[in-house]
Amino acid sequence: KNQVEQSPQSLIILEGKNCTLQCNYTVSPFSNLRWYKQDTGRGPVSLTIMTFSENTKSNGRYTATLDADTKQSSLHITASQLSDSASYICVVILGNQFYFGTGTSLTVIP
Amino acid sequence: GAVVSQHPSRVICKSGTSVKIECRSLDFQATTMFWYRQFPKQSLMLMATSNEGSKATYEQGVEKDKFLINHASLTLSTLTVTSAHPEDSSFYICSARPETSGREQYFGPGTRLTVT
């Protein structure tokens, strides 16, 4: 069964600190893996897109890594800001099918 | 580019009534649109896939007679929740796939439905 699981389920960090979110998947092979940010009451917005052969992709303070051998991806957020408070969703794409992770709810406090 | 809008952003309706949600691709044509439902603290769950000019394909467990989907043009798909019940209260998100892209999806901002 194709699954995408994320951890932790929720996370609270102080403003300015770094954090890392994890994504484990069983979908294989896949065309690309994406991380999305979803603000409360809004639709998901793409942060990073990685193909099977890529190991890392950065977008400003967001850096995603991919280990295809262990089927794991992580999203590292550097120098967190209050506006980073949101849900972060890992999505693995196989063909035309999107497999959504369970999401991590991040709260950044001052 | 690749903007998807939804209308309304929030709607409150009484139990037993029907409500229509619109999804529009503003700057591209979408042969395929997707409708998702998201309950609090859960991820998106695909409800149905609609292709322009043909009947929608519903995921298992989704009642097609309750959630009517119409994809009448390359830029508009509508989801009508018929005879709404409080348990239909949820966040509904659509996405659109450009006709020029085989697997891309651009998500709308979502519609919060509350059934009283």
Side-chain angles (χ1 to χ4, degrees), chain A residues 68-86:
Chain A
D69 291 332
T70 61
K71 296 187 173 64
Q72 293 181 328
S73 176
S74 65
L75 179 69
H76 187 74
I77 303 175
T78 304
S80 61
Q81 300 176 357
L82 298 179
S83 59
D84 292 332
S85 296

PDB file of all heavy atoms in Angstrom, chain A residues 68-86:
ATOM      1  N   ALA A  68      16.584   8.311  -1.260  1.00  0.00           N
ATOM      2  CA  ALA A  68      15.748   7.330  -1.949  1.00  0.00           C
ATOM      3  C   ALA A  68      16.011   5.903  -1.447  1.00  0.00           C
ATOM      4  O   ALA A  68      15.143   5.040  -1.566  1.00  0.00           O
ATOM      5  CB  ALA A  68      15.984   7.413  -3.450  1.00  0.00           C
ATOM      6  N   ASP A  69      17.193   5.671  -0.882  1.00  0.00           N
ATOM      7  CA  ASP A  69      17.503   4.323  -0.386  1.00  0.00           C
ATOM      8  C   ASP A  69      16.670   3.994   0.855  1.00  0.00           C
ATOM      9  O   ASP A  69      16.162   2.879   0.996  1.00  0.00           O
ATOM     10  CB  ASP A  69      18.997   4.213  -0.053  1.00  0.00           C
ATOM     11  CG  ASP A  69      19.855   4.265  -1.306  1.00  0.00           C
ATOM     12  OD1 ASP A  69      19.359   3.850  -2.377  1.00  0.00           O
ATOM     13  OD2 ASP A  69      21.008   4.734  -1.220  1.00  0.00           O
ATOM     14  N   THR A  70      16.569   4.949   1.749  1.00  0.00           N
ATOM     15  CA  THR A  70      15.802   4.724   2.974  1.00  0.00           C
ATOM     16  C   THR A  70      14.363   5.205   2.843  1.00  0.00           C
ATOM     17  O   THR A  70      13.569   5.049   3.771  1.00  0.00           O
ATOM     18  CB  THR A  70      16.455   5.458   4.164  1.00  0.00           C
ATOM     19  OG1 THR A  70      16.479   6.864   3.894  1.00  0.00           O
ATOM     20  CG2 THR A  70      17.870   4.946   4.395  1.00  0.00           C
ATOM     21  N   LYS A  71      14.027   5.794   1.696  1.00  0.00           N
ATOM     22  CA  LYS A  71      12.676   6.305   1.456  1.00  0.00           C
ATOM     23  C   LYS A  71      12.290   7.338   2.518  1.00  0.00           C
ATOM     24  O   LYS A  71      11.233   7.237   3.158  1.00  0.00           O
ATOM     25  CB  LYS A  71      11.649   5.186   1.381  1.00  0.00           C
ATOM     26  CG  LYS A  71      11.867   4.221   0.208  1.00  0.00           C
ATOM     27  CD  LYS A  71      10.719   3.234   0.100  1.00  0.00           C
ATOM     28  CE  LYS A  71      10.826   2.393  -1.153  1.00  0.00           C
ATOM     29  NZ  LYS A  71      11.999   1.526  -1.179  1.00  0.00           N
ATOM     30  N   GLN A  72      13.188   8.289   2.699  1.00  0.00           N
ATOM     31  CA  GLN A  72      12.931   9.340   3.671  1.00  0.00           C
ATOM     32  C   GLN A  72      13.238  10.702   3.063  1.00  0.00           C
ATOM     33  O   GLN A  72      14.158  10.840   2.254  1.00  0.00           O
ATOM     34  CB  GLN A  72      13.811   9.148   4.915  1.00  0.00           C
ATOM     35  CG  GLN A  72      13.474   7.925   5.728  1.00  0.00           C
ATOM     36  CD  GLN A  72      14.366   7.796   6.958  1.00  0.00           C
ATOM     37  OE1 GLN A  72      15.522   8.199   6.945  1.00  0.00           O
ATOM     38  NE2 GLN A  72      13.798   7.260   8.025  1.00  0.00           N
ATOM     39  N   SER A  73      12.457  11.671   3.491  1.00  0.00           N
ATOM     40  CA  SER A  73      12.716  13.051   3.108  1.00  0.00           C
ATOM     41  C   SER A  73      12.583  13.913   4.355  1.00  0.00           C
ATOM     42  O   SER A  73      11.862  13.558   5.292  1.00  0.00           O
ATOM     43  CB  SER A  73      11.722  13.516   2.041  1.00  0.00           C
ATOM     44  OG  SER A  73      11.922  14.892   1.733  1.00  0.00           O
ATOM     45  N   SER A  74      13.275  15.015   4.366  1.00  0.00           N
ATOM     46  CA  SER A  74      13.149  15.942   5.484  1.00  0.00           C
ATOM     47  C   SER A  74      13.052  17.364   4.951  1.00  0.00           C
ATOM     48  O   SER A  74      13.530  17.675   3.854  1.00  0.00           O
ATOM     49  CB  SER A  74      14.341  15.814   6.444  1.00  0.00           C
ATOM     50  OG  SER A  74      15.533  16.210   5.787  1.00  0.00           O
ATOM     51  N   LEU A  75      12.407  18.199   5.731  1.00  0.00           N
ATOM     52  CA  LEU A  75      12.319  19.621   5.412  1.00  0.00           C
ATOM     53  C   LEU A  75      12.924  20.383   6.590  1.00  0.00           C
ATOM     54  O   LEU A  75      12.440  20.273   7.713  1.00  0.00           O
ATOM     55  CB  LEU A  75      10.874  20.061   5.196  1.00  0.00           C
ATOM     56  CG  LEU A  75      10.689  21.555   4.881  1.00  0.00           C
ATOM     57  CD1 LEU A  75      11.250  21.875   3.496  1.00  0.00           C
ATOM     58  CD2 LEU A  75       9.222  21.956   4.956  1.00  0.00           C
ATOM     59  N   HIS A  76      13.993  21.105   6.325  1.00  0.00           N
ATOM     60  CA  HIS A  76      14.678  21.867   7.355  1.00  0.00           C
ATOM     61  C   HIS A  76      14.333  23.336   7.199  1.00  0.00           C
ATOM     62  O   HIS A  76      14.464  23.897   6.102  1.00  0.00           O
ATOM     63  CB  HIS A  76      16.190  21.663   7.232  1.00  0.00           C
ATOM     64  CG  HIS A  76      16.968  22.275   8.353  1.00  0.00           C
ATOM     65  ND1 HIS A  76      17.002  21.742   9.615  1.00  0.00           N
ATOM     66  CD2 HIS A  76      17.723  23.398   8.389  1.00  0.00           C
ATOM     67  CE1 HIS A  76      17.755  22.499  10.387  1.00  0.00           C
ATOM     68  NE2 HIS A  76      18.195  23.513   9.667  1.00  0.00           N
ATOM     69  N   ILE A  77      13.881  23.922   8.290  1.00  0.00           N
ATOM     70  CA  ILE A  77      13.550  25.354   8.280  1.00  0.00           C
ATOM     71  C   ILE A  77      14.569  26.081   9.146  1.00  0.00           C
ATOM     72  O   ILE A  77      14.751  25.732  10.322  1.00  0.00           O
ATOM     73  CB  ILE A  77      12.130  25.599   8.815  1.00  0.00           C
ATOM     74  CG1 ILE A  77      11.120  24.794   7.991  1.00  0.00           C
ATOM     75  CG2 ILE A  77      11.790  27.090   8.760  1.00  0.00           C
ATOM     76  CD1 ILE A  77       9.699  24.872   8.511  1.00  0.00           C
ATOM     77  N   THR A  78      15.209  27.044   8.558  1.00  0.00           N
ATOM     78  CA  THR A  78      16.262  27.782   9.246  1.00  0.00           C
ATOM     79  C   THR A  78      15.739  29.128   9.736  1.00  0.00           C
ATOM     80  O   THR A  78      14.958  29.779   9.060  1.00  0.00           O
ATOM     81  CB  THR A  78      17.444  28.030   8.284  1.00  0.00           C
ATOM     82  OG1 THR A  78      17.884  26.779   7.765  1.00  0.00           O
ATOM     83  CG2 THR A  78      18.587  28.724   8.981  1.00  0.00           C
ATOM     84  N   ALA A  79      16.194  29.499  10.934  1.00  0.00           N
ATOM     85  CA  ALA A  79      15.848  30.819  11.495  1.00  0.00           C
ATOM     86  C   ALA A  79      14.351  31.080  11.381  1.00  0.00           C
ATOM     87  O   ALA A  79      13.908  32.009  10.688  1.00  0.00           O
ATOM     88  CB  ALA A  79      16.645  31.911  10.793  1.00  0.00           C
ATOM     89  N   SER A  80      13.588  30.259  12.050  1.00  0.00           N
ATOM     90  CA  SER A  80      12.130  30.295  11.903  1.00  0.00           C
ATOM     91  C   SER A  80      11.554  31.678  12.217  1.00  0.00           C
ATOM     92  O   SER A  80      12.074  32.439  13.046  1.00  0.00           O
ATOM     93  CB  SER A  80      11.494  29.248  12.812  1.00  0.00           C
ATOM     94  OG  SER A  80      11.801  29.526  14.167  1.00  0.00           O
ATOM     95  N   GLN A  81      10.460  31.957  11.533  1.00  0.00           N
ATOM     96  CA  GLN A  81       9.725  33.205  11.725  1.00  0.00           C
ATOM     97  C   GLN A  81       8.290  32.886  12.122  1.00  0.00           C
ATOM     98  O   GLN A  81       7.801  31.782  11.877  1.00  0.00           O
ATOM     99  CB  GLN A  81       9.747  34.029  10.435  1.00  0.00           C
ATOM    100  CG  GLN A  81      11.143  34.402   9.957  1.00  0.00           C
ATOM    101  CD  GLN A  81      11.154  35.128   8.639  1.00  0.00           C
ATOM    102  OE1 GLN A  81      10.106  35.325   8.016  1.00  0.00           O
ATOM    103  NE2 GLN A  81      12.331  35.531   8.190  1.00  0.00           N
ATOM    104  N   LEU A  82       7.625  33.849  12.726  1.00  0.00           N
ATOM    105  CA  LEU A  82       6.246  33.624  13.153  1.00  0.00           C
ATOM    106  C   LEU A  82       5.367  33.199  11.975  1.00  0.00           C
ATOM    107  O   LEU A  82       4.447  32.400  12.127  1.00  0.00           O
ATOM    108  CB  LEU A  82       5.688  34.883  13.812  1.00  0.00           C
ATOM    109  CG  LEU A  82       6.399  35.348  15.086  1.00  0.00           C
ATOM    110  CD1 LEU A  82       5.752  36.628  15.610  1.00  0.00           C
ATOM    111  CD2 LEU A  82       6.375  34.266  16.152  1.00  0.00           C
ATOM    112  N   SER A  83       5.677  33.726  10.806  1.00  0.00           N
ATOM    113  CA  SER A  83       4.885  33.407   9.615  1.00  0.00           C
ATOM    114  C   SER A  83       5.101  31.982   9.111  1.00  0.00           C
ATOM    115  O   SER A  83       4.392  31.527   8.204  1.00  0.00           O
ATOM    116  CB  SER A  83       5.214  34.387   8.488  1.00  0.00           C
ATOM    117  OG  SER A  83       6.594  34.315   8.174  1.00  0.00           O
ATOM    118  N   ASP A  84       6.063  31.290   9.698  1.00  0.00           N
ATOM    119  CA  ASP A  84       6.263  29.883   9.327  1.00  0.00           C
ATOM    120  C   ASP A  84       5.224  28.984   9.987  1.00  0.00           C
ATOM    121  O   ASP A  84       5.118  27.796   9.641  1.00  0.00           O
ATOM    122  CB  ASP A  84       7.667  29.405   9.736  1.00  0.00           C
ATOM    123  CG  ASP A  84       8.771  30.065   8.932  1.00  0.00           C
ATOM    124  OD1 ASP A  84       8.519  30.460   7.769  1.00  0.00           O
ATOM    125  OD2 ASP A  84       9.894  30.209   9.473  1.00  0.00           O
ATOM    126  N   SER A  85       4.460  29.505  10.915  1.00  0.00           N
ATOM    127  CA  SER A  85       3.419  28.714  11.571  1.00  0.00           C
ATOM    128  C   SER A  85       2.405  28.273  10.523  1.00  0.00           C
ATOM    129  O   SER A  85       1.756  29.109   9.883  1.00  0.00           O
ATOM    130  CB  SER A  85       2.720  29.530  12.664  1.00  0.00           C
ATOM    131  OG  SER A  85       3.622  29.861  13.699  1.00  0.00           O
ATOM    132  N   ALA A  86       2.308  26.971  10.344  1.00  0.00           N
ATOM    133  CA  ALA A  86       1.453  26.410   9.295  1.00  0.00           C
ATOM    134  C   ALA A  86       1.536  24.897   9.370  1.00  0.00           C
ATOM    135  O   ALA A  86       2.259  24.348  10.201  1.00  0.00           O
ATOM    136  CB  ALA A  86       1.913  26.885   7.917  1.00  0.00           C
TER     137      ALA A  86
END
